[in-house]
Amino acid sequence: CRSPMAQAELARLLPDRSVESAGLDALVGAPADPLAMAVAAEHGLDISMHRARQLSWAMCLQADLILAMEQHQIEELNARFPAVRGKAFLIGHYGNFEVPDPYRGPVASFEQAWGEISTGAEDWAARIARF
């Protein structure tokens, strides 16, 4: 639900950078949640072509930065892929917040997640663009 929205927003904010989406426990091949697609579309993003994929060791090694939605995800990343230590952060790192999973919740949960994702993406994009 969250990762496709974050990927699309970061790609929009950082068009000259490679931004990818993957999950720790992704339903490989599944499309984005319909409510996530609708909320993203309200903000000018089309995530209808998104297909879930599992995060791999190779992806972790290639990535310069890995953004997670919740602290427990960073802990899981560090446990599964020790190479991510020092490059895995919360998307809400600069605002000191997590983005709760809206899955199976009402549209309001997806809208709240979008607001937090958007804020976090803007914070990160401003810093990344300087490099």
Side-chain angles (χ1 to χ4, degrees), residues 1-5 32-43 45 47 102 107 110 114:
C1 299
R2 299 166 290 180
S3 183
M5 292 191 291
D33 184 279
L35 288 176
M37 283 192 263
V39 169
E42 288 175 12
H43 297 280
L45 299 173
I47 61 171
V107 70
F110 284 82
W114 165 258

Side-chain angles (χ1 to χ4, degrees), residues 57-77:
W57 179 255
M59 288 176 192
C60 289
L61 290 176
Q62 184 179 14
D64 294 321
L65 173 68
I66 299 172
L67 297 177
M69 301 293 157
E70 298 176 270
Q71 186 61 41
H72 75 86
Q73 293 171 321
I74 292 176
E75 293 163 7
E76 184 67 23
L77 278 164

Side-chain angles (χ1 to χ4, degrees), residues 33-116:
D33 184 279
L35 288 176
M37 283 192 263
V39 169
E42 288 175 12
H43 297 280
L45 299 173
D46 180 2
I47 61 171
S48 62
M49 298 306 294
H50 171 82
R51 294 299 176 264
R53 51 190 201 146
Q54 194 68 29
L55 185 66
S56 70
W57 179 255
M59 288 176 192
C60 289
L61 290 176
Q62 184 179 14
D64 294 321
L65 173 68
I66 299 172
L67 297 177
M69 301 293 157
E70 298 176 270
Q71 186 61 41
H72 75 86
Q73 293 171 321
I74 292 176
E75 293 163 7
E76 184 67 23
L77 278 164
N78 288 333
R80 286 190 202 181
F81 308 107
V84 305
R85 290 186 194 278
K87 63 180 176 179
F89 298 89
L90 287 174
I91 195 165
H93 175 79
Y94 293 103
N96 195 28
F97 62 86
E98 295 180 289
V99 180
D101 191 354
Y103 184 61
R104 295 190 181 181
V107 70
S109 296
F110 284 82
E111 290 167 348
Q112 179 180 345
W114 165 258
E116 293 163 343

Side-chain angles (χ1 to χ4, degrees), residues 7-28:
Q7 184 270 330
E9 180 64 355
L10 282 163
R12 173 170 56 183
L13 294 170
L14 298 164
D16 60 333
R17 305 294 173 109
S18 174
V19 181
E20 298 183 28
S21 170
L24 287 168
D25 296 310
L27 298 172
V28 176

